[in-house]
Amino acid sequence: MRSLVIGDSGGIGAALRNRLAAQGEVIGLSRSRDGLEITSEESVAQALGALSGEFQMVFIATGQLGQPEKSLLQLSSESLLAQFSVNAIGPALVLKHLSRLLPRAEPCHVGVLSARVGSIGDNGLGGWYSYRTSKAALNQLVHTAAVELKRKHPHGVMACLHPGTVDTEFTAGYTRDKIAPNVVAQMLIDVLSGLSAAQSGGFFDYQGKRVMW
């Protein structure tokens, strides 16, 4: 199996790359090492345009939290735009330039890291306006892209994945129980590879359970 990990220098991305390396060739792209700016279409097009061949598994493991808002009074247009640029627009640009690298005659799986807080139906606490809405937008973008994927890649699967609370720099201030990156990476790989074409466009957590929209 040949795999691609976008954002492979982060905690989850690096763990995904290491786990996938045991199953075949893995290519990783990141901002820190490769200069990939996912909010710039020129950068995305250049980075993915330099790749050749086909990838049976792809993970888009990019994301940004920023400073979560506790109330509307803390909300700003700048924070909203920053979160949307990284969490929604960036992955969408990657998906736009990814299609030619996916096989048409055999199965392929594309997983995009989202977050449960992007679920509208599961939101009972409020707050986190910028992050929540950017992830909700990401979920809609991935779901819509999955509809188009079926037309060109009938055996393809594209899904939003909630990794849980993983022990990385991203969650350094969290006090709740955290999952080791290498453990959740294997769980995400198992969940994504186990999804069928009929489940494409869905939203699943690291245990394979559906997350409500």
Side-chain angles (χ1 to χ4, degrees):
M1 181 177 69
R2 194 163 181 254
S3 304
L4 173 65
V5 180
I6 306 295
D8 75 323
S9 62
I12 300 177
L16 285 167
R17 180 196 62 218
N18 293 336
R19 287 288 184 175
L20 289 167
Q23 302 180 35
E25 180 188 0
V26 181
I27 292 179
L29 292 173
S30 72
R31 177 183 181 183
S32 61
R33 187 188 59 248
D34 307 294
L36 172 61
E37 295 284 352
I38 62 168
T39 59
S40 164
E41 182 162 8
E42 180 180 0
S43 179
V44 172
Q46 182 177 2
L48 294 186
L51 302 178
S52 60
E54 297 178 338
F55 295 91
Q56 287 73 42
M57 182 164 287
V58 178
F59 278 96
I60 301 177
T62 57
Q64 183 183 74
L65 176 58
Q67 184 61 44
E69 306 93 349
K70 294 182 179 180
S71 74
L72 277 170
L73 294 177
Q74 296 177 325
L75 187 63
S76 70
S77 59
E78 291 79 12
S79 64
L80 277 168
L81 287 170
Q83 292 288 278
F84 269 75
S85 292
V86 176
N87 294 334
I89 297 173
L93 292 175
V94 172
L95 293 177
K96 175 182 177 179
H97 292 275
L98 181 66
S99 180
R100 70 174 187 84
L101 298 172
L102 301 176
R104 295 195 178 194
E106 61 179 287
C108 59
H109 293 75
V110 179
V112 184
L113 296 195
S114 183
R116 188 180 297 276
V117 295
S119 166
I120 296 174
D122 191 53
N123 181 6
L125 297 176
W128 293 53
Y129 288 91
S130 299
Y131 189 66
R132 282 187 189 278
T133 53
S134 67
K135 288 297 186 178
L138 171 66
N139 292 345
Q140 180 68 284
L141 285 163
V142 173
H143 182 78
T144 304
V147 174
E148 183 174 341
L149 180 75
K150 291 180 181 179
R151 301 172 187 149
K152 299 178 180 179
H153 307 271
H155 306 291
V157 175
M158 186 177 291
C160 300
L161 300 173
H162 167 61
T165 305
V166 186
D167 190 9
T168 66
E169 291 183 9
F170 193 75
T171 60
Y174 286 33
T175 57
R176 69 182 68 174
D177 292 337
K178 303 175 187 178
I179 312 170
N182 64 315
V183 173
V184 78
Q186 188 59 59
M187 296 176 79
L188 290 172
I189 293 169
D190 291 342
V191 169
L192 183 61
S193 60
L195 297 178
S196 67
Q199 294 171 296
S200 186
F203 187 9
F204 304 88
D205 70 11
Y206 60 97
Q207 296 179 314
K209 299 177 182 178
R210 277 193 178 270
V211 181
M212 69 173 69
W213 296 115

